[in-house]
């Protein structure tokens, strides 16, 4: 059960009168409200939650407030299991404490940060960015933005300070650039399943589906020769690493598979290796695999997330916790070897910084930092409550149950 949570019975409903509920992890259906001690924010998942009318008015002074919640297909892999608290009732109500930076709960500013911690804001409006990547020439940013119009992919021109939307239907996420900067690949559920689509960055043609397959596929990178698109290949209960040929008819090659989850693959500059994260050891580690032989190495010394290879092929960077990014020096000739991991970028955890990409020379990190009107409120612990978790499970596992 969630530590420190009191499940409160008296609650003003959403027009349906007063309801009662079971206790934490209980079997009674109905409306749940997680009420914490002072200084803890409560988020309702996909429905309007009203403050309690009972004797303990601890939620937002009993004023009505509303939050939306939409779980990305792969957001489950971004959770630090040692820090996560969660519980599920028999009625299908999920409550959990999200990690720092989870979701798009507020406006985010895109910045370039150097290795000394100096920041340079990009001349782009503050928006609720969920993910962003730099074009090969570092002059444009492809990002998915979560706002009142939905979740869509945008291209932002840094020099011209202009923005244009690439998508208009469905939920569209995780854009990555082609090797020449002419095309943006992204995940979209516009046809029901989450498949990979692409569109010309200048809008010269309509969106085009790359491949139709079961489950969900999320693009993670394109080889520098433009031959392959790498992706997280998600099937019910599992995630593997695959690549899709971009010349001729699309062909799928599964590169890493097994009972463990493997996600977030990025290719090396020469295309011979991939780095990715895997929970094979029981925690998230950063692995490297040689594509031709299947040989693998663990390059992280502590739990790590969201790895990527710098474009010169000399470093692998990955995130640890909420405050730092680690660099590992890489040599591939005459054989694969790495240096000891060292901290390279440090972040202010209170700003919920996300590290998205690096510039071509590796000197700057593209980061997203939350901007707050009330800094103390934004750094409070949070709990997310999803009242219809069981109803959403078929969608999460590709339309089937296990």
């Amino acid at each position: 059960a969630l530590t420190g949570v009191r499940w409160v019975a008296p609650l003003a409903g959403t027009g349906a009168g007063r309801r009662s509920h079971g206790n934490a992890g209980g079997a009674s259906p109905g409306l749940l409200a997680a009420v914490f001690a002072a200084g803890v924010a409560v988020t309702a998942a996909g429905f309007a939650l009203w403050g309690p009318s009972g004797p303990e008015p601890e939620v937002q002074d009993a004023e009505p407030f509303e939050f939306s919640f939409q779980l990305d297909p792969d957001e489950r892999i971004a959770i630090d299991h040692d820090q996560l608290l969660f519980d599920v009732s028999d009625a299908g109500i999920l409550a959990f404490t999200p990690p720092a930076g989870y979701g798009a709960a507020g406006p985010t500013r895109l910045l370039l940060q150097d290795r000394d911690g100096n920041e340079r804001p990009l001349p782009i409006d503050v928006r609720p960015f969920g993910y962003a990547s730099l074009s090969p020439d570092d002059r444009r940013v492809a990002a998915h933005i979560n706002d009142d119009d939905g979740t869509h992919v945008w291209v932002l021109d840094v020099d011209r300070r202009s923005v244009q939307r690439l998508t208009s239907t469905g939920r569209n996420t995780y854009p990555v650039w082609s090797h020449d900067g002419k095309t943006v690949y992204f995940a979209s559920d516009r046809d029901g399943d989450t498949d990979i689509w692409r569109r010309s960055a200048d809008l010269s043609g309509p969106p085009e589906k790359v491949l139709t397959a079961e489950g969900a596929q999320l693009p993670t990178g394109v080889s520098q020769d433009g031959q392959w698109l790498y992706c997280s290949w998600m099937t019910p209960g599992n995630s593997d690493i695959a690549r899709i040929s971009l010349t001729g008819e699309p062909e799928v090659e599964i590169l890493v598979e097994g009972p463990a989850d493997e996600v977030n693959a990025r290719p090396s500059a020469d295309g011979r290796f991939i780095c990715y994260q895997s929970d094979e050891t029981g925690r998230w580690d950063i692995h490297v695999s040689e594509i031709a032989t299947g040989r693998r190495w663990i390059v992280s010394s502590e739990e790590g997330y969201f790895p990527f290879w710098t474009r010169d092929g000399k470093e692998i960077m990955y995130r640890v916790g909420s405050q730092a990014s680690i660099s590992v020096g890489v040599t591939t000739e005459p054989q694969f070897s790495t240096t000891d991991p060292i901290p390279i970028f440090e972040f202010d955890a209170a700003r919920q910084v996300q590290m998205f990409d690096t510039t071509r020379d590796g000197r700057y990190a593209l980061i997203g930092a939350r901007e707050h009107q009330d800094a103390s409120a934004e750094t409070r612990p949070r709990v997310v409550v999803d009242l219809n978790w069981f109803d959403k499970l078929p969608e999460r596992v590709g339309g089937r149950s296990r």
Side-chain angles (χ1 to χ4, degrees), residues 48-51 59-66:
L49 178 66
W50 294 67
V59 181
Q60 301 287 329
D61 299 325
E63 292 295 323
F65 59 101
E66 182 177 356

Side-chain angles (χ1 to χ4, degrees), residues 128-373:
F129 294 102
Y131 181 83
S133 62
L134 284 165
S135 63
D137 61 4
D138 294 337
R139 299 175 62 183
R140 291 168 295 166
V141 176
H144 79 243
I145 297 174
N146 309 285
D147 57 22
D148 292 340
D149 293 330
T151 302
H152 291 287
V153 173
W154 297 70
V155 170
L156 308 98
D157 191 305
V158 176
D159 294 337
R160 295 189 175 94
R161 303 189 179 190
S162 62
V163 298
Q164 57 185 11
R165 197 166 87 177
L166 260 65
T167 62
S168 58
T169 60
R171 189 167 191 271
N172 308 275
T173 55
Y174 301 103
V176 298
W177 291 90
S178 62
H179 71 296
D180 56 9
K182 295 181 180 180
T183 302
V184 176
Y185 296 89
F186 55 94
S188 179
D189 66 357
R190 64 188 62 200
D191 280 354
D193 292 330
T194 300
D195 297 309
I196 296 177
W197 292 65
R198 62 186 167 199
R199 190 175 190 185
S200 297
D202 61 4
L203 305 182
S204 58
E208 176 188 14
K209 184 184 289 190
V210 175
L211 184 73
T212 299
E214 291 187 4
Q217 296 79 46
L218 306 178
T220 56
V222 175
S223 61
Q224 291 193 14
D225 61 7
Q227 299 293 306
W228 297 96
L229 171 68
Y230 293 81
C231 65
S232 298
W233 193 272
M234 296 181 171
T235 54
N238 189 250
S239 177
D240 297 316
I241 301 299
R243 65 178 183 177
I244 304 169
S245 61
L246 297 177
T247 57
E249 290 296 319
E251 297 182 2
V252 178
E253 182 180 353
I254 303 296
L255 301 178
V256 183
E257 63 180 333
D261 281 332
E262 297 91 15
V263 293
N264 297 328
R266 298 289 188 98
S268 61
D270 60 12
R272 296 169 50 208
F273 300 85
I274 53 171
C275 64
Y276 59 94
Q277 73 183 67
S278 171
D279 65 357
E280 183 178 11
T281 65
R283 71 174 190 184
W284 287 114
D285 289 302
I286 306 305
H287 293 232
V288 169
S289 176
E290 185 175 32
I291 295 175
T293 65
R295 290 190 298 170
R296 304 180 193 178
W297 301 263
I298 297 178
V299 300
S300 56
S301 59
E302 57 186 312
E303 194 160 28
Y305 311 91
F306 307 113
F308 55 88
W309 224 297
T310 55
R311 295 182 223 178
D312 61 9
K314 296 180 180 180
E315 291 177 275
I316 293 172
M317 297 183 185
Y318 59 92
R319 187 69 180 267
V320 292
S322 60
Q323 293 181 279
S325 179
I326 298 296
S327 171
V328 176
V330 176
T331 301
T332 59
E333 295 290 351
Q335 59 185 5
F336 180 83
S337 63
T338 62
T339 63
D340 291 334
I342 58 171
I344 190 168
F345 293 107
E346 294 186 357
F347 308 114
D348 179 0
R351 299 168 67 200
Q352 300 184 17
V353 170
Q354 300 178 72
M355 183 175 177
F356 295 128
D357 205 348
T358 62
T359 55
R360 283 178 297 174
D361 56 14
R363 293 174 55 199
Y364 297 90
L366 174 66
I367 66 173
R370 287 279 302 279
E371 296 229 335
H372 319 308
Q373 293 180 341

